[in-house]
């Protein structure tokens, strides 16, 4: 199964091209050190939440855009080896001044528990971060599998659900604070890959009308009031 290094960050909107260049320039080193894929997706529709949302998760300013991004690796060991190698890579000396505030970047390692569909051409990412009771992991996975079938049936390319494995505390913010986890909860980093924003929007009515998406809110294996999510356009998708 895929191992995921997930990121949430706020980038000054005016720095979009500088950020894209930064990510493109860094990718060869990441691939050389063992990353299989990098995806950078730029905020398109980031709704406000009642309890938390993606903007508050990274303490975004009004002139910043949210990014939902990730690396994919063959395993946790491959991720760990990559991170050790990348810190010593010569190209990293040129990456010391990224075009965003790294102190507010949220990051962590996640082990996929569901990876269905096929990664391919994609122009849109629907990203989610949730807090799920550890004791209800199986219940959550069953619900995720049912939803993934519907997503794929209406035209999504791929669905990935990844369970907290190595999620550090941050100085300013982190994944745990992003969804206000309790001591008995784990963070889930999940996404749906779509061909385009327009395709996703056209598929939404079919998605919402499908009987498999009907549920009793009282039985959900997570607190939907603390779930944070948004829709993003893909600005970089590179594979080794």
């Amino acid at each position: 199964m895929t191992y995921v290094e997930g990121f949430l960050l706020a980038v000054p909107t005016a720095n979009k091209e500088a950020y894209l260049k930064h990510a493109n320039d860094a990718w060869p080193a990441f691939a050389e050190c063992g990353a299989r894929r990098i995806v950078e997706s730029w905020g398109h529709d980031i709704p406000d939440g009642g309890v938390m949302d993606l903007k508050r998760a990274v303490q975004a300013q009004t002139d910043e855009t949210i990014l939902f991004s990730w690396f994919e690796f063959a395993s946790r060991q491959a991720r760990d080896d990559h991170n050790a190698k990348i810190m010593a890579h010569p190209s990293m000396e040129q990456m010391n001044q990224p075009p965003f505030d790294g102190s507010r970047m949220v990051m962590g390692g996640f082990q996929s528990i569901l990876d269905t569909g096929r990664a391919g051409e994609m122009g849109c990412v629907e990203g989610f971060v949730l807090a799920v009771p550890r004791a209800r992991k199986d219940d959550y996975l069953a619900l995720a599998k049912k939803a993934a079938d519907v997503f794929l049936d209406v035209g999504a390319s791929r669905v990935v659900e990844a369970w907290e494995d190595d999620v550090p505390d941050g100085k300013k913010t982190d994944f745990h604070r992003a969804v206000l986890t309790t001591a008995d909860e784990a963070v889930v980093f999940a996404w749906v890959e779509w061909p385009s924003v327009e395709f996703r929007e056209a598929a939404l009515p079919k998605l919402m009308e499908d009987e498999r998406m009907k549920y009793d809110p009282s039985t959900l294996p997570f607190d939907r009031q603390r779930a944070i999510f948004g829709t993003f356009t893909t600005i970089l998708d590179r594979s080794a």
Side-chain angles (χ1 to χ4, degrees):
M1 298 287 275
T2 305
Y3 194 86
V4 176
E5 185 93 281
F7 302 87
L8 305 174
L9 56 156
V11 175
T13 304
N15 287 356
K16 182 178 182 180
E17 293 305 317
Y19 181 84
L20 183 55
K21 182 179 186 306
H22 173 83
N24 264 310
D25 289 348
W27 168 245
F30 291 136
E32 180 184 331
C33 292
R36 297 198 306 191
R37 186 187 187 201
I38 183 176
V39 174
E40 302 276 5
S41 59
W42 188 263
H44 170 73
D45 181 17
I46 312 298
D48 295 332
V51 177
M52 282 297 288
D53 53 50
L54 285 165
K55 288 173 277 194
R56 280 180 277 184
V58 292
Q59 302 173 14
Q61 308 299 310
T62 56
D63 62 345
E64 292 178 324
T65 296
I66 310 302
L67 271 81
F68 184 98
S69 305
W70 70 88
F71 287 102
E72 296 181 27
F73 299 93
S75 65
R76 164 72 185 268
Q77 186 62 56
R79 192 289 305 261
D80 291 347
D81 291 346
H82 166 275
N83 287 354
K85 292 175 183 176
I86 202 69
M87 296 306 295
H89 198 281
S91 69
M92 289 300 102
E93 294 179 6
Q94 304 167 19
M95 301 293 171
N96 289 334
Q97 294 185 325
F100 61 93
D101 179 4
S103 70
R104 289 183 285 127
M105 181 171 67
V106 173
M107 61 184 295
F110 300 82
Q111 179 63 60
S112 65
I113 56 174
L114 175 67
D115 186 348
T116 184
R118 184 178 62 85
E121 274 192 46
M122 115 171 122
C124 174
V125 173
E126 195 170 356
F128 307 86
V129 183
L130 314 167
V132 179
R134 297 178 190 277
R136 300 202 66 186
K137 182 178 181 179
D138 290 344
D139 294 335
Y140 178 80
L141 181 56
L143 181 69
K145 286 179 176 178
K146 184 186 293 186
D149 287 343
V150 184
F151 279 118
L152 295 176
D153 285 350
V154 301
S157 307
R158 183 187 183 207
V159 180
V160 176
E161 300 273 355
W163 188 267
E164 174 182 339
D165 175 66
D166 179 27
V167 176
D169 295 333
K171 291 184 178 179
K172 291 186 176 179
T173 184
D174 51 52
F175 273 114
H176 294 292
R177 279 180 274 188
V179 290
L180 304 175
T181 56
T182 60
D184 64 342
E185 292 178 326
V187 179
V188 170
F189 182 86
W191 71 85
V192 182
E193 300 180 17
W194 295 93
S196 67
V197 168
E198 294 77 16
F199 188 101
R200 174 191 171 273
E201 290 176 349
L204 277 180
K206 291 184 287 185
L207 187 72
M208 303 315 296
E209 290 165 7
D210 195 294
E211 287 299 318
R212 292 170 292 177
M213 296 298 281
K214 310 297 184 187
Y215 59 86
D216 178 355
S218 67
T219 66
L220 281 179
F222 63 91
D223 178 3
R224 63 177 182 170
Q225 296 300 315
R226 289 182 285 133
I228 61 176
F229 53 90
T231 307
F232 303 80
T233 57
T234 309
I235 60 172
L236 179 67
D237 182 357
R238 301 282 296 276
S239 297

